[in-house]
Amino acid sequence: MSFLKRSTTMILLGLLAACGGTAPPPIDLAAEEDAIRERTRQWKEAVAAKDLDEVMSYYASDAVQMVAGMAPMVGHQAIRDWLDTWLLDPAIDNHFAADAVEIASSGDLAYERGSWTFTKESPEGPEEDFGKYVCIWKKVDGTWYAALDISQSDAAPLEP
């Protein structure tokens, strides 16, 4: 093999090695699911403690909250303003539980679906509602944050 062919071959092999590099480590989907379930557990504790600052720490800065009967709330301030209207009320009790968590193969997006209950004590007696939710999580700098949180009541829809 001539010097020119050998040099060209070595350069091409070097370029291929540089471009290919090493493959990223595989995503441990079970560990990522556990991480989201743990974030959800901590989030539930913050809701139960009525700790608004802690609750907000689970939302991405550009998060969107969608609840029935309201326009979507976009960003921390809009979500915080809405939570401030009911989260701190001692007459309100809110619980939620994940039924399933699915992680994208990329390891940076996931969804959680589950159910919730909402009770408010009033002079007329307890007001109750229950329903389901979907939360889309995104991983930012190694931490999972709620990017889109959608809830829906199971109450019968209003007749047209």
Side-chain angles (χ1 to χ4, degrees), residues 49-130:
K50 299 187 178 293
D51 185 338
L52 185 55
D53 290 332
E54 182 68 16
V55 168
M56 290 305 303
S57 74
Y58 294 92
Y59 287 98
S61 61
D62 59 348
V64 176
Q65 178 78 48
M66 297 170 67
V67 298
M70 295 179 66
M73 293 157 271
V74 180
H76 263 217
Q77 192 59 54
I79 295 169
R80 183 182 194 89
D81 290 347
W82 171 69
L83 286 172
D84 195 37
T85 66
W86 64 268
L87 181 67
L88 303 179
D89 188 336
I92 291 176
D93 193 20
N94 184 38
H95 296 277
F96 55 98
D99 296 327
V101 174
E102 294 287 331
I103 312 297
S105 60
S106 61
D108 61 351
L109 285 174
Y111 76 83
E112 171 185 336
R113 68 174 169 79
S115 58
W116 55 267
T117 60
F118 180 90
T119 307
K120 180 177 183 178
E121 294 298 327
S122 72
E124 295 81 31
E127 299 172 21
E128 297 179 331
D129 195 6
F130 57 94

